Amino acid sequence: MLSTIERFSAHPSQATSPSRGWRHWMVVSLLGVAAWMAHLGSAQAADLADSKVCQALQAKYPQFKGKTLVDAINPHTPGYEALDPKDPNRYIGFDIDLAEALGSCLGFSLKYTPVAFAALLPTLQSGQADLVISDIYATKERAKAADFITYSKVFDGVLVAKGNPKKINGINLSMCGTTAAENTGFVEVPLVQNLAEPCKAAGKPAPQLQLYDNNASCIQAVLAGRADTYINDVNTVDQAVKAYPDKLSKALAVTLPYHIGIGVSKSNPALRDAIVAALGEIQKSGIQPAMMKKWGLDQGAIEPPTIITDK
Amino acid sequence: MDLFFHYLTLGYLLHGIVLTLQVTVLGLVGGLGVGIVLAAMQLSRQPLVSAMARTYAVIFRGTPLILQMVFVYDALPHFGIRLSAMASAGIALAANEAPFIAEILRAGILGVDRGQVAAGQALGMSSFVLMRRIVAPQAIRTMIPAFGNETVNALKNSSLASFISVQELTLRSTQLASSTFDFFSIFFASGLLYLILTGSVAALQLVSERALDLDRPRLIGAGWRAFLPWRRTPVSAEVPMANVGESTAVPAVEMPRARAADIAQGPIAVEIQELTKSYGAREVFGDLNLRVRGEKSLPCWGPAARARAPCFAASTASRPGMPAPCSSAVIAWGIPPVASCCHPAPWPTSASRSAWAWCSSISICSPT
């Protein structure tokens, strides 16, 4: 439904054409629906700020109220975080909505700083950002650099050229001798590297890796035939297939034993605890499922917030 | 490519140009400031000072700019220095540009003919005046192309600031491409925007070169065609050379033939024959023969007031019985000219080390 709205509102000139009266009214009504939904969203946010739990949290953590926190993102993941193509001065996506919801619950506003994927945690560690909400998987290794509050399970998709010419069916022996595009610092990188031994044992060449620093480059690598596959969050893969239905396809989704998490500096346990509490409220009030639906993240499974940390 | 023109005029990308230019200007201005200090340090005779400058150059010229940017942005905060993304990018670019600019300055200064410096010293110029009047005007002219290069480099290098979240043109383009999946239109548009920027720098370089071109008057009327790549400054048909001795040839100032003949008839005021001067083991000039006719002005430049004073004194007082007065005379170290109008001038008998005679109108001399 939302995609319909986008399609029509992207061509307002058509709507004013007199020969298309019915379309005009349809667009007006659709825009009305969109406005109502946007209102609903802000009303939700207002409700959230007024909820007892959030009020109590704002009283408990007054240090965040009225502040502007910096959220480091790698805005190359439509659905999670990317520029709004219609108004490139702002970011949109599930992670942005989640950050705003957390902000309205805890009383802070947000500023977004775009960095390379591998620079997300260093930016947090150096204090240039207060939190990271950028579709980042909360692994034990990363928990050494930051504390994570999880909000979703991880499902990975395998992006391949149309028709899957290399017959890749997961992070397994089918990848021997193929080339995978990944972002520097992705959890999939060691998984692919670890295939070298089994492939050798099976008498096949090890898979090759090409490292980039954002999704767009990885998708381009598959489009250009430089890489045979790109394995990443299934929703990102779906968005790519949607953008290039003639050239790309999704081989399948694989489950990885990870969780998507919000990164917070280890030196700021108060923020971590406040986010855990606020996220719980956001999930309980049904806002998170609604947001995931809005962004088409149907294959993400919501999880109650858990802290992943490591000394 | 349908949306190419849409992206070319998109306010979001155009605003990125402003940030690109901010990083570039910060880098160039800061780099020029640090570069001047570095060049001065490198030219210094203090071994410690020049060693420090050399070390700086080795480090900042020898490491990638992207590492320097990430260092300033992400590592300095661990030492308690937290700078904004723009400031980090500007400082890193300036620190990186500085050694390159210092080399341009150093090469430009060293490239100025040593004789020019010696001439300035002979005129008694202080080192500051020497730099401002003699070295800098010539050095800057030769440095312009290198500065043009460096500006274009800095402009393109500013794109690396995208790695530390400066929302300049490259970062905006990649983000927009990620959200719209319209890679080609966007990258072509941003490439064209960069070309317009670097093209403007090239135009600025050409205009500066022309503004400082000493042969410029000859191109008046050529208009914009003066900037065409194949345009050359016309060279005058023939540069007459005057013979001074057998082996030395100095470009002469053109002079009407009749006037030259007139001068050739005048009485001899100064005559030098087979003058040789060595400076240590090095022969500075040898077998110099010079004859100056009277009634002519032969500027005589020297550093020491006591060497000039008597000369002017002699020239202003035209006394009967003296040789034909001249406004001054040629001097050389410690050797009185064979014939001189300036006597009984007490020439300094032991030459001061910086003493140097510089004749500008040597063309009126005729070989003996």
Side-chain angles (χ1 to χ4, degrees):
Chain A
M1 166 132 183
L2 267 169
S3 64
T4 319
I5 293 169
E6 281 175 9
R7 237 186 40 229
F8 276 95
S9 54
H11 303 285
S13 56
Q14 286 186 0
T16 52
S17 164
S19 65
R20 292 175 180 165
W22 65 273
R23 281 197 181 180
H24 175 80
W25 289 111
M26 190 172 168
V27 166
V28 167
S29 54
L30 282 171
L31 286 176
V33 170
W36 175 72
M37 285 183 70
H39 174 73
L40 196 71
S42 61
Q44 266 183 343
D47 290 348
L48 196 63
D50 291 339
S51 80
K52 274 206 187 102
V53 177
C54 289
Q55 289 292 326
L57 283 173
Q58 289 187 20
K60 190 178 173 190
Y61 300 104
Q63 66 266 47
F64 305 125
K65 192 161 179 166
K67 291 279 158 56
T68 300
L69 298 193
V70 179
D71 180 7
I73 53 175
N74 180 235
H76 300 277
T77 318
Y80 285 96
E81 52 271 311
L83 289 185
D84 182 350
K86 289 191 217 73
D87 176 12
N89 289 301
R90 63 192 205 110
Y91 294 107
I92 53 168
F94 169 79
D95 283 337
I96 306 298
D97 284 356
L98 182 62
E100 294 294 334
L102 288 171
S104 64
C105 181
L106 293 170
F108 58 79
S109 53
L110 283 140
K111 213 180 121 215
Y112 300 94
T113 187
V115 295
F117 184 82
L120 286 171
L121 295 183
T123 305
L124 186 68
Q125 285 176 300
S126 68
Q128 299 276 15
D130 300 297
L131 67 166
V132 171
I133 310 182
S134 188
D135 189 20
I136 184 169
Y137 299 173
T139 63
K140 277 279 170 198
E141 285 71 33
R142 287 177 187 160
K144 291 192 174 92
D147 287 348
F148 285 93
I149 304 108
T150 62
Y151 57 86
S152 169
K153 278 188 191 140
V154 164
F155 293 97
D156 260 15
V158 178
L159 182 71
V160 291
K162 186 83 184 166
N164 196 3
K166 294 283 172 88
K167 308 280 174 246
I168 296 168
N169 57 21
I171 306 179
N172 53 33
L173 289 182
S174 69
M175 281 186 69
C176 296
T178 65
T179 301
E182 294 293 340
N183 285 340
T184 308
F186 264 24
V187 297
E188 289 84 356
V189 171
L191 297 180
V192 174
Q193 283 170 337
N194 290 343
L195 287 174
E197 277 300 309
C199 284
K200 209 173 156 190
K204 292 173 180 170
Q208 300 291 310
L209 267 172
Q210 287 173 357
L211 293 179
Y212 300 95
D213 70 358
N214 61 57
N215 288 321
S217 304
C218 294
I219 295 166
Q220 282 295 300
V222 178
L223 277 173
R226 296 182 193 285
D228 302 309
T229 181
Y230 171 42
I231 303 161
N232 187 24
D233 180 280
V234 68
N235 297 300
T236 309
V237 170
D238 285 341
Q239 293 269 7
V241 175
K242 205 170 104 189
Y244 292 98
D246 303 332
K247 292 178 180 168
L248 298 175
S249 59
K250 180 175 75 176
L252 79 168
V254 290
T255 317
L256 292 184
Y258 299 121
H259 314 270
I260 308 178
I262 299 167
V264 181
S265 168
K266 282 185 180 296
S267 60
N268 201 350
L271 181 60
R272 179 193 66 198
D273 297 341
I275 286 178
V276 170
L279 187 59
E281 174 65 10
I282 289 167
Q283 293 188 346
K284 220 182 314 165
S285 62
I287 295 176
Q288 188 180 343
M291 288 191 306
M292 294 190 80
K293 195 158 183 244
K294 173 184 168 192
W295 294 107
L297 309 184
D298 303 326
Q299 300 204 48
I302 296 173
E303 280 191 320
T306 316
I307 294 173
I308 295 184
T309 183
D310 195 356
K311 288 272 156 61
Chain B
M1 293 292 288
D2 320 340
L3 292 169
F4 174 71
F5 288 104
H6 165 69
Y7 292 122
L8 200 57
T9 53
L10 187 66
Y12 176 73
L13 287 184
L14 296 181
H15 187 61
I17 292 180
V18 176
L19 290 154
T20 289
L21 289 177
Q22 279 178 3
V23 175
T24 309
V25 168
L26 276 177
L28 282 177
V29 171
L32 187 63
V34 180
I36 288 172
V37 174
L38 273 182
M41 286 170 75
Q42 285 188 331
L43 291 169
S44 156
R45 290 202 188 87
Q46 295 287 330
L48 192 67
V49 173
S50 57
M52 278 166 60
R54 184 75 60 83
T55 310
Y56 178 96
V58 165
I59 293 171
F60 282 88
R61 201 171 62 169
T63 51
L65 176 58
I66 186 163
L67 291 187
Q68 293 167 12
M69 286 203 174
V70 171
F71 180 84
V72 174
Y73 185 70
D74 280 335
L76 284 190
H78 293 289
F79 304 105
I81 307 166
R82 187 182 305 164
L83 300 161
S84 72
M86 174 62 77
S88 304
I91 287 173
L93 188 58
N96 186 268
E97 287 294 331
F100 293 96
I101 292 176
E103 287 299 288
I104 294 173
L105 293 171
R106 202 167 65 94
I109 289 167
L110 293 181
V112 172
D113 183 15
R114 287 297 300 161
Q116 303 275 320
V117 177
Q121 285 172 340
L123 282 172
M125 290 180 171
S126 70
S127 54
F128 176 76
V129 174
L130 193 62
M131 178 56 72
R132 196 167 76 82
R133 298 264 187 192
I134 306 291
V135 179
Q138 300 184 69
I140 287 173
R141 200 177 303 136
T142 58
M143 283 188 249
I144 297 263
F147 275 132
N149 273 349
E150 213 46 45
T151 307
V152 169
N153 268 342
L155 191 74
K156 292 187 292 185
N157 283 343
S158 72
S159 64
L160 291 174
S162 61
F163 276 79
I164 56 168
S165 83
V166 177
Q167 290 269 14
E168 45 68 71
L169 189 51
T170 300
L171 183 56
R172 283 172 186 247
S173 310
T174 52
Q175 289 181 91
L176 200 57
S178 289
S179 74
T180 60
F181 291 94
D182 196 358
F183 303 93
F184 293 104
S185 305
I186 291 170
F187 288 153
F188 268 101
S190 94
L192 185 57
L193 290 175
Y194 269 111
L195 267 182
I196 291 169
L197 291 180
T198 51
S200 309
V201 172
L204 202 66
Q205 179 189 333
L206 285 178
V207 170
S208 317
E209 278 180 22
R210 193 159 140 67
L212 293 174
D213 184 359
L214 293 182
D215 293 321
R216 177 164 43 109
R218 300 184 187 185
L219 279 172
I220 279 177
W224 61 271
R225 276 170 284 127
F227 293 103
L228 291 174
W230 52 87
R231 189 81 192 189
R232 294 288 175 274
T233 301
V235 180
S236 56
E238 197 179 312
V239 179
M241 308 295 273
N243 284 326
V244 179
E246 286 298 311
S247 56
T248 320
V250 179
V253 194
E254 279 187 69
M255 188 183 292
R257 197 167 294 222
R259 184 161 158 70
D262 182 39
I263 288 168
Q265 299 301 316
I268 294 169
V270 180
E271 185 162 23
I272 296 173
Q273 288 178 348
E274 292 173 23
L275 182 63
T276 304
K277 177 62 197 168
S278 294
Y279 192 79
R282 183 182 295 265
E283 191 179 69
V284 182
F285 56 80
D287 199 20
L288 174 68
N289 298 303
L290 179 68
R291 185 184 292 148
V292 180
R293 301 280 172 179
E295 312 287 346
K296 288 271 67 66
S297 157
L298 181 63
C300 159
W301 299 343
R306 61 188 178 128
R308 285 200 302 273
C311 202
F312 286 121
S315 64
T316 46
S318 168
R319 286 177 242 162
M322 295 290 285
C326 68
S327 62
S328 69
V330 173
I331 54 164
W333 282 292
I335 302 167
V338 177
S340 170
C341 64
C342 296
H343 89 132
W347 296 109
T349 46
S350 67
S352 73
R353 284 169 67 85
S354 60
W356 181 249
W358 189 261
C359 280
S360 69
S361 47
I362 203 139
S363 61
I364 65 165
C365 306
S366 54
T368 53

